[in-house]
Each structure stands twice: as C-alpha cells, then as structure tokens.
Amino acid sequence: MTNSPAQMLGDDLTSFDHIIINANLATFSAHYGFDSHTDKKNNESTAIDNTPYGQLENAAIGIKAGKIAWMGTHEQMTPHLASYQDHQITDANGHWITPGLIDCHTHIVYGGNRSNEFEARLHGASYQDIAAQGGGIVATVSATREASIESLFAQSEKRLLALIKEGVTSIEIKSGYGLDLKTERKMLTVARNLGEKYNIHVSTTYLAAHALPPEYQSHMQDRADDYIEQVCEWLPILHSEGLVDAVDGFCENIAFSTAQIKRVFEVARSLGLPVKLHSEQLSDIGGSALVAEYQGLSSDHLEHLSEDDIKKMAASNTVAVLLPGAFYTLRDTKLPPIDALRKHQVPMAISTDCNPGTSPLTSLLLAMNMGCTLFYLTPEEVLAGSTVYAAQALGLTNKGKIEVGCDADLALWDITRPADLAYQIGLNPIEGIMSQGKWRTKI
C-alpha cells in the first residue's frame, strides 16, 4: 500500500527554506505508486495500486537544507503561504516536475574533434582506412594527451552545459582517453572541476581499460597483459588522490578479455570501489556475468546480452544501461533484449554515451526519444531510466526520485504530461532546474 501525501506531513509547515506549490509531480517513488516490478510480458502491473510515473497532481513540496523535507497537497500548504517571502515560493502553475535528470554513462571529457572521420565514412572510407591514417580512438587519445588542463576543461564545458540546459543535475564522467597515468589524472581532474564550477553532481569513473594505447602495440604482437598491469597500478594512485568513484572497462573481442578485466575488478574490490562495464556491444563474451559476480552497479550497451547473463544481473541487482545514441550512430541492427530484461525485472537506464567516435550526443531528451523509437521502450521506462534507475546505476541512493529525505534535485517542465519529454524532438521545454535545493539563475 502506498503512502498518501498527508501521511508524509511534517510538524511545521512554516519553516522550510523554499516551497513549491501548484505542481504536478512525476515522483518515481514507490511511496506514490511507482511500480518497479511490473509484469511487462502481459502489460499489466503486479501491484494493486500502481500509478504511472508515481505521479501526484496538485502537489506541494517543502525543501530544507537542500533536501526534500515534506510533500503534500497544494491545499495543505495554502494556509501557510503568509509565512514565506515571495522569493521562497515557486508557483509551478500546474506544470510538471520530475527528478533532475541523470546522465549515467558519458565520456564528455576529451580533446579534439572527429567530424572529419564522420565525413570520411560518408564518402566511403572504412574504419580500417581511418585507423590506418591515425584516426579512431588513437586520434582522441593524442588530442587529449596534448591538451592542457585548461583547454580540456573549455572543450568539455560546452558539452556539459548542453546537458545541464536539458535538466541534467547529475552526470557520470569517465576517463579512458588518456591511457597513461598523467592524462587519466588530467581527465578525472577536469571532471571534478566541472562539477565544482557548475554545482552538478559528477560521478567519476576510471576507464583506463578502454583500449590498448599505441605504445603497447606493434606489428609483431600487442602487450595487452602488460598494459592491464599498468592500469591496475595506476588505480590505487588516482583513488588516493580522491579522483575515482567507480571503475569501468571495455570487455569485448576488440578490447579486453574477461580475465583481463577481472584483474582490474580485483583491485577495485580491494579499494572498496564499485564496478561497471562496457559489455556485449559487439559480441557475447560474458562481460555482464562478470559484472554480476562483482555485484556491479551496471552493465552497459548489451545488444548481444544472453538470457543467462540477464538472470545473473537480476540476482545481483545490476542495472542495464542502454545507449541508443551509439546504436543509432553505428547503424546497428541488433537490438538489446528488452523483453528478456523486462521479464527478469532488470532495471533499465538510458544515457547519451556522449563520446567523440560512436555517440557524439549531448541531449538526454533525444536519447530518451531514441529509447522509445529504436528500442521500443515506453515513455515511462525511458524517464525512469533517466532518473531513478540512472541514479541506481551510479549508486546514488538520494537522487533520481521525489520523496522525503532525497536531495532536492528537480526539473520543472512546461509539458502537458510526462510522456511529452520522450515524444518531442528538438524542443526543450525546461522552465527551471533546482540543484541541492537552489534554482539555477541561468539556464
């Protein structure tokens, strides 16, 4: 049985730092009927009182010390409005509020630009041709290594601002275009600095096991095991500097094996760091099973994910992060196993995968639309995937939903219904963005 707004009442409705009135809320909270265990196979909810989006209409919110301190109806708050100054009151005018959006898989910190490769492919060049001319990830690694920390910040800042303007209040930023200690440190430092400047939560992820750097390759052989040894040695150093929140890797036939990634995960475990993985994008080599074995936060991409590994993800409560931007850019035709993920009740998140090569996407709203049009997800699923399940994919227990005790990270939208956010293409209906209980003065 869900709680009604009246059951969440505090003792004093006159002492909040800020109040929001006359709002419709998509809470994504089980307290208000959001059902994370829905029988999608039969398109019926197993919960008696399931409410789409966990929605509350004609609601009010009380905020104190950056947290949601109270939730109730507009009528319950009305008698207390005289206790507040005008600047402490936001009248939503019947518009919709969602949790602040969360982009849980990005590579937004990188140097250079690869639009030349995009153009070359459209003129018939193959990936092999581009790589032979120094393109591909090698080009991004070179540009990122060469960029000063100031230049790298300036380039990455533009991408972050595009996401913030669409209501993103938390983001994950990966390293992985340095592939040496100095540049991995530089990337993670820029990520931290971006979060500090823009008052946005940044989860930093160490992704040195992203690709084999040029200095570890030769025409005779590659030295992948030697490089993984270096990755394992750098991790404790960067963690001791406060730069690492989680550890990732690229587990694929063209990247690193499960045995190599397991070595990295063992170091992460010794440091108490959560893990996640790029897996099953191009083939099935058991990456998601490995993540589940380590109780990982998420397994990401997943076009070639097997049902056996889906069961393991369900048992470990590992989030499936779906990345339609990469699917679109690569013109992939192998869909992620959405029905099987639903069947086994694996939470699904949606993200931009913003990166210079396979998903130069800086719109989480567009990623949501792609999740519907390309992956056949519902508008509720993609919005949950950009809020409550994206928060779970980052281990953020106080974000991604609107309920008492959570961080007051909110987005106010001029929309008729929550489905509009996935339905509209190219129109940003944002009206206000709140981070930690404070509205942004500029959007």
Side-chain angles (χ1 to χ4, degrees):
M1 182 66 65
T2 58
N3 295 322
S4 70
Q7 288 174 302
M8 304 300 289
L9 277 173
D11 295 329
D12 182 5
L13 301 189
T14 65
S15 61
F16 302 124
D17 299 330
H18 197 90
I19 58 173
I20 301 172
I21 59 173
N22 194 22
N24 294 323
L25 309 179
T27 70
F28 290 100
S29 168
H31 290 303
Y32 301 105
F34 174 66
D35 180 18
S36 60
H37 301 292
T38 300
D39 185 357
K40 300 293 184 180
K41 183 177 180 180
N42 297 312
N43 293 317
E44 294 179 356
S45 171
T46 58
I48 295 174
D49 51 359
N50 172 250
T51 303
Y53 305 94
Q55 65 189 40
L56 285 176
E57 297 184 4
N58 195 33
I61 303 174
I63 296 162
K64 195 172 185 67
K67 301 282 186 179
I68 298 170
W70 172 85
M71 292 171 61
T73 66
H74 174 75
E75 288 76 14
Q76 287 168 325
M77 181 57 73
T78 299
H80 306 282
L81 294 180
S83 300
Y84 295 93
Q85 300 179 37
D86 288 347
H87 72 272
Q88 293 179 287
I89 303 172
T90 296
D91 188 342
N93 293 312
H95 291 170
W96 282 88
I97 292 178
T98 69
L101 302 186
I102 299 172
D103 201 352
C104 64
H105 179 129
T106 86
H107 308 253
I108 69 167
V109 174
Y110 62 85
N113 181 302
R114 283 160 60 186
S115 62
N116 60 319
E117 297 177 17
F118 174 75
E119 188 171 25
R121 287 196 297 273
L122 293 173
H123 282 289
S126 68
Y127 284 100
Q128 292 82 359
D129 295 335
I130 292 169
Q133 297 170 10
I137 191 172
V138 174
T140 299
V141 170
S142 297
T144 305
R145 287 179 175 182
E146 293 170 3
S148 67
I149 194 167
E150 295 80 11
S151 172
L152 194 58
F153 183 97
Q155 294 177 64
S156 306
E157 181 179 34
K158 297 174 184 177
R159 295 182 279 268
L160 178 64
L161 286 172
L163 291 164
I164 289 175
K165 289 176 180 178
E166 286 194 347
V168 170
T169 57
S170 296
I171 187 171
E172 186 240 27
I173 301 177
K174 303 179 189 291
S175 68
Y177 290 121
L179 310 185
D180 61 26
L181 177 58
K182 177 182 177 182
T183 315
E184 292 290 299
R185 176 186 285 122
K186 179 171 61 177
M187 293 183 69
L188 293 167
T189 299
V190 167
R192 286 278 191 249
N193 291 346
L194 286 168
E196 291 172 4
K197 178 173 179 178
Y198 288 102
N199 187 33
I200 183 173
H201 176 87
V202 172
S203 293
T204 54
T205 298
Y206 176 70
L207 181 58
H210 190 197
L212 195 63
E215 59 268 27
Y216 281 81
Q217 301 177 24
S218 73
H219 69 284
M220 299 279 295
Q221 63 181 7
D222 69 56
R223 298 163 50 213
D225 284 334
D226 292 341
Y227 177 64
I228 288 294
E229 185 65 30
Q230 288 295 301
V231 170
C232 292
E233 290 180 8
W234 298 334
L235 175 52
I237 296 171
L238 297 174
H239 176 56
S240 70
E241 296 171 6
L243 294 174
V244 179
D245 296 324
V247 175
D248 197 352
F250 188 17
C251 187
E252 192 55 77
N253 287 325
I254 64 169
F256 298 103
S257 68
T258 53
Q260 290 165 336
I261 294 297
K262 187 168 185 175
R263 290 164 59 188
V264 181
F265 280 7
E266 281 296 315
V267 178
R269 173 182 280 175
S270 73
L271 297 171
L273 289 168
V275 300
K276 54 181 59 183
L277 197 61
H278 290 62
S279 53
E280 279 76 62
Q281 181 183 12
L282 305 173
S283 62
D284 179 12
I285 62 172
S288 294
L290 179 64
V291 178
E293 178 185 339
Y294 283 81
Q295 304 294 307
L297 291 174
S298 71
S299 190
D300 305 25
H301 283 292
L302 306 178
E303 283 82 353
H304 293 263
L305 179 64
S306 70
E307 187 161 6
D308 284 344
D309 283 3
I310 289 173
K311 294 176 183 178
K312 294 173 183 176
M313 290 175 65
S316 64
N317 204 26
T318 298
V319 177
V321 178
L322 306 176
L323 305 171
F327 182 92
Y328 169 84
T329 302
L330 294 173
R331 299 178 179 176
D332 204 346
T333 57
K334 174 71 171 177
L335 289 168
I338 302 298
D339 286 341
L341 290 166
R342 288 170 176 156
K343 173 184 174 182
H344 296 287
Q345 299 179 351
V346 175
M348 292 181 285
I350 287 283
S351 182
T352 63
D353 189 21
C354 177
N355 75 75
T358 61
S359 187
L361 175 62
T362 55
S363 171
L364 189 53
L365 294 178
L366 181 54
M368 290 163 57
N369 176 272
M370 289 178 171
C372 294
T373 57
L374 299 178
F375 293 167
Y376 303 96
L377 296 169
T378 68
E380 184 180 12
E381 285 176 322
V382 294
L383 189 50
S386 303
T387 53
V388 63
Y389 296 137
Q392 184 179 336
L394 298 181
L396 303 177
T397 58
N398 290 324
K399 296 182 183 292
K401 54 192 173 183
I402 303 175
E403 66 180 42
V404 170
C406 286
D407 293 342
D409 291 355
L410 306 170
L412 173 62
W413 308 93
D414 182 8
I415 55 176
T416 303
R417 58 186 63 85
D420 288 349
L421 294 177
Y423 157 72
Q424 296 174 141
I425 303 174
L427 176 65
N428 181 6
I430 196 76
E431 283 193 312
I433 303 167
M434 176 176 281
S435 295
Q436 299 289 296
K438 294 183 179 180
W439 291 111
R440 292 192 177 276
T441 55
K442 293 182 179 180
I443 301 176

